[in-house]
Amino acid sequence: MTRTTFASPDPAAPGLADRLIHLFTLIPHWLIALIARIALFRVFWWSARTKVADGTLFSLSDSAVYLFQEEYKLPLLPPELAAHLALLGESVFSILVIFGLATRLGGLGLFGMALVIQLFVYPDHYNEHLPWMVCALYLAKFGGGFLSLDALIARWTGRKVSFA
């Protein structure tokens, strides 16, 4: 009669979960930051473009002002001022974020815009706005990563930059 014995697992050997967790630690910050930058740029830049009059680069359209008067109705701000500020913020912060220039400032600005949209414009659309806020907060905390103008400027000026 043959006797089969099973070896007891080595408690020091990493399990599947440990190996997967290790693989996730290999995902570089620059990749996460780049994806967050692209995602935020796509949303906010194209939103800004919908507010611009045809054939212009930054002139506010009448329909954008109408939306701020009739649909968005932000408290404390006149609709025309709110429309201009939205166009300015979406344009400038998006450009900063996509190029990774003053990324933390751009991320913080887009976080603030997403928060205003969530609280005052479309409070039921949190499934859409929360991912924007996560991307924006990530960039505000960690910056644009190795593939950003911030990192390039830091290297040129000899500053030590932390990417985590």
Side-chain angles (χ1 to χ4, degrees), residues 15-160:
L16 178 61
D18 292 327
R19 289 191 297 258
L20 286 173
I21 289 169
H22 174 71
L23 285 176
F24 291 135
T25 65
L26 299 177
I27 298 170
H29 159 67
W30 67 262
L31 180 60
I32 299 167
L34 182 62
I35 292 169
R37 287 169 37 209
I38 292 168
L40 286 175
F41 175 79
R42 185 191 167 279
V43 169
F44 285 94
W45 177 257
W46 289 113
S47 177
R49 298 296 90 204
T50 66
K51 294 173 179 65
V52 173
D54 289 337
T56 69
L57 199 54
F58 289 106
S59 295
L60 197 61
S61 70
D62 293 336
S63 60
V65 175
Y66 176 81
L67 281 173
F68 277 85
Q69 289 169 336
E70 300 301 321
E71 186 173 341
Y72 302 159
K73 298 182 181 179
L74 294 175
L76 307 175
L77 288 176
E80 290 169 355
L81 177 60
H84 279 94
L85 289 175
L87 174 60
L88 180 67
E90 287 172 338
S91 298
V92 171
F93 294 139
S94 295
I95 290 169
L96 291 176
V97 161
I98 196 64
F99 287 113
L101 180 64
T103 310
R104 287 181 167 92
L105 174 66
L108 191 60
L110 292 178
F111 174 80
M113 294 190 75
L115 187 62
V116 167
I117 294 166
Q118 176 59 45
L119 294 176
F120 299 112
V121 180
Y122 296 119
D124 295 336
H125 293 190
Y126 53 87
N127 285 339
E128 187 175 351
H129 305 141
L130 287 177
W132 303 349
M133 289 188 228
V134 169
C135 288
L137 279 178
Y138 182 89
L139 294 175
K141 178 173 173 68
F142 295 110
F146 184 76
L147 294 179
S148 68
L149 287 178
D150 290 337
L152 183 64
I153 292 167
R155 286 190 296 273
W156 279 346
T157 60
R159 284 189 9 242
K160 182 172 171 32

